[in-house]
């Protein structure tokens, strides 16, 4: 009689998980508020810095157009970015659970990448200052543009706080995991098509641990 060989289940592949930066991994509101206040003082232009930090997510130029004539926006963006490292980096803490979320991906044998609309050199400065070390940092991408980096790195999950992050995940064919720690509440995120809505990143390690066996 022919012998039979039992085969162990094939384990789920190690995940590549993408994370947004502002209001997902870091609370950039204090630093960004201070930088807008400094830009207003430097240029003599009124900017409601408290208002600006309620709508973080889109690219810098989309905020600056509210305060400067269109023909000045590019120059003001360059000025803001040049001022940013000395003003905003030290003032911006990690979000609760950020380090643990990156560590959870690594412990699962996966790769953690950051894909953000923020100017890439400044995004890297934030992470270096906080001692958060993803496998890659890709900046200057917003909403559906984020799909370029997510596909390039083979990310199957993208974690963010904004409706634009959900659009990016969907464009990449990645699972959208949302956290209502930015300008969008849980109901908005769910209505926009997030596959998973967590309270914040402190829930991410347990979610990831359950997600991998389910895929296997």
């Amino acid at each position: 009689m022919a012998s039979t060989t039992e085969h162990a289940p094939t384990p789920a592949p190690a995940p590549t998980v993408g994370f947004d930066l502002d209001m997902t991994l870091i609370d950039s509101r204090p630093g960004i508020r201070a930088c807008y206040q400094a830009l207003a003082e430097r240029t003599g232009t009124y900017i409601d810095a408290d208002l600006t930090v309620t709508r973080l997510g889109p690219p810098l130029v989309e905020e600056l157009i509210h305060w400067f004539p269109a023909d000045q926006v590019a120059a003001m963006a360059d000025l803001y970015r040049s001022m940013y490292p000395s003003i905003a980096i030290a003032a911006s803490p990690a979000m609760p659970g950020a380090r643990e979320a990156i560590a959870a991906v690594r412990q699962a044998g996966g790769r953690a990448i950051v894909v953000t609309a923020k100017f890439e050199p400044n995004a890297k400065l934030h992470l270096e200052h906080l001692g958060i070390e993803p496998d890659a940092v890709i900046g200057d991408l917003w909403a559906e543009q984020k799909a370029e980096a997510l596909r390039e790195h083979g990310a199957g999950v993208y974690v963010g706080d904004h409706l634009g992050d959900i659009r990016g995940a969907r464009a990449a064919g990645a699972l959208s995991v949302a956290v209502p720690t930015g300008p969008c509440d849980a109901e908005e995120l769910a209505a926009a098509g997030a596959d998973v809505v967590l309270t914040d990143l402190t829930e991410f390690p347990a979610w990831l641990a359950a997600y991998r066996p389910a895929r296997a």
Side-chain angles (χ1 to χ4, degrees), residues 171-186:
L175 192 81
S176 172
V177 176
V179 286
T181 49
C184 305
D185 63 29

Side-chain angles (χ1 to χ4, degrees), residues 113-186:
I113 66 172
V114 173
V115 183
T116 174
K118 188 178 290 295
F119 183 52
E120 188 173 302
N122 288 342
K124 290 179 176 178
L125 287 175
H126 272 297
L127 295 164
E128 290 167 6
H129 174 74
L130 294 170
I132 298 174
E133 299 181 357
D135 294 281
V137 180
I138 307 95
D140 305 292
L141 297 175
W142 163 240
E144 288 83 358
Q145 296 172 341
K146 294 187 175 189
E148 304 167 16
L150 295 173
R151 286 194 297 262
E152 180 182 347
H153 288 270
V157 176
Y158 185 57
V159 185
D161 67 280
H162 198 282
L163 305 187
D165 299 323
I166 297 171
R167 287 156 49 194
R170 289 201 165 279
L175 192 81
S176 172
V177 176
V179 286
T181 49
C184 305
D185 63 29

Side-chain angles (χ1 to χ4, degrees), residues 4 8 21-22 29 36 40 54 71 75 88 90 93 100 118 166 177 201:
T4 59
L21 183 66
D22 288 331
R29 289 172 298 184
Y36 275 121
T54 67
D71 62 354
E100 293 81 359
K118 188 178 290 295
I166 297 171
V177 176
L201 285 183

Side-chain angles (χ1 to χ4, degrees), residues 13 16 30-31 36 47 59 67-68 71 89 97 115 130 160 163 172 180 182 190 206-207:
T16 294
Y36 275 121
I47 300 173
W67 312 108
F68 295 94
D71 62 354
I89 301 300
V115 183
L130 294 170
L163 305 187
W207 173 83

Side-chain angles (χ1 to χ4, degrees), residues 5-214:
T5 303
E6 293 186 2
H7 296 281
T10 302
T16 294
V17 179
F19 292 88
D20 176 49
L21 183 66
D22 288 331
M23 304 312 301
T24 299
L25 289 175
I26 68 169
D27 184 353
S28 53
R29 289 172 298 184
I32 289 176
R33 181 187 290 110
C35 201
Y36 275 121
Q37 289 170 336
L39 182 65
E41 183 176 351
R42 176 88 169 262
T43 62
T45 301
Y46 173 74
I47 300 173
D48 187 338
D50 290 324
L51 177 60
T52 66
V53 297
T54 67
R55 49 193 187 197
L56 299 181
L60 171 63
V61 294
E62 293 191 20
E63 183 61 44
L64 291 175
I65 198 67
H66 293 292
W67 312 108
F68 295 94
D71 62 354
Q72 296 181 23
V73 166
M76 291 301 103
D78 288 342
L79 177 57
Y80 175 97
R81 288 169 178 147
S82 70
M83 298 166 65
Y84 193 94
S86 62
I87 296 171
I89 301 300
S92 302
M95 294 294 282
R99 294 180 177 87
E100 293 81 359
I102 300 290
V105 177
R106 296 267 175 68
Q107 289 164 6
R111 299 176 70 249
I113 66 172
V114 173
V115 183
T116 174
K118 188 178 290 295
F119 183 52
E120 188 173 302
N122 288 342
K124 290 179 176 178
L125 287 175
H126 272 297
L127 295 164
E128 290 167 6
H129 174 74
L130 294 170
I132 298 174
E133 299 181 357
D135 294 281
V137 180
I138 307 95
D140 305 292
L141 297 175
W142 163 240
E144 288 83 358
Q145 296 172 341
K146 294 187 175 189
E148 304 167 16
L150 295 173
R151 286 194 297 262
E152 180 182 347
H153 288 270
V157 176
Y158 185 57
V159 185
D161 67 280
H162 198 282
L163 305 187
D165 299 323
I166 297 171
R167 287 156 49 194
R170 289 201 165 279
L175 192 81
S176 172
V177 176
V179 286
T181 49
C184 305
D185 63 29
E187 290 74 19
E188 288 179 274
L189 295 166
D195 297 295
V196 178
V197 180
L198 306 176
T199 301
D200 57 29
L201 285 183
T202 64
E203 296 183 355
F204 180 81
W207 173 83
L208 183 64
Y211 170 66
R212 284 174 52 74

